[in-house]
């Protein structure tokens, strides 16, 4: 895991721009996001973010439902643990600490 994310809903079209705006600049421009199709509400195949389209792809059921994968061409990929929107503050803090405890500080999202 490269970090954790606590969205307020499973509507990726609404939640993704805020996540991408909070990421470290060194992660580069995220061009694609992989999500488990069973839990996320998607409209279309992309989301406009800062005048560019971020492509959204659904993964099969073998991909963990509690993660999203962010892709940047030529720079890499980042996997984030998704804290369920319905989590309490205590649950969210515990999950985020667990996800980031195994991650070097330089790799954590803002």
């Amino acid at each position: 895991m490269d970090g954790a994310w606590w969205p307020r809903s499973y509507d990726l079209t609404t939640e993704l721009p805020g996540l991408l705006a909070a990421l470290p600049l060194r992660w580069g421009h995220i061009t694609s996001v992989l999500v488990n199709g069973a839990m996320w509400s998607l409209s279309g195949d992309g989301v406009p973010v800062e005048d560019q389209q971020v492509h959204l792809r659904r993964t099969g059921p073998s991909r963990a439902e509690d993660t999203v994968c962010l892709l940047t061409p030529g720079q890499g990929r980042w996997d984030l643990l998704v804290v369920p929107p319905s989590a309490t503050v205590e649950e969210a803090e515990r999950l985020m600490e667990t996800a980031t405890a195994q991650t070097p500080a330089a790799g954590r999202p803002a």
Side-chain angles (χ1 to χ4, degrees), residues 17-67:
L19 169 64
L20 297 183
L23 295 176
L25 292 176
R26 69 183 172 283
W27 284 22
H29 176 71
I30 304 296
T31 60
S32 297
V33 176
L34 304 172
V35 298
N36 183 293
M39 71 190 269
W40 293 99
S41 171
L42 304 176
S43 58
D45 66 348
V47 174
V49 177
E50 295 182 10
D51 299 326
Q52 292 192 350
Q53 195 77 351
V54 175
H55 299 282
L56 305 177
R57 296 190 318 184
R58 296 176 191 269
T59 63
S62 62
R63 176 132 177 104
E65 288 188 11
D66 58 351
T67 61

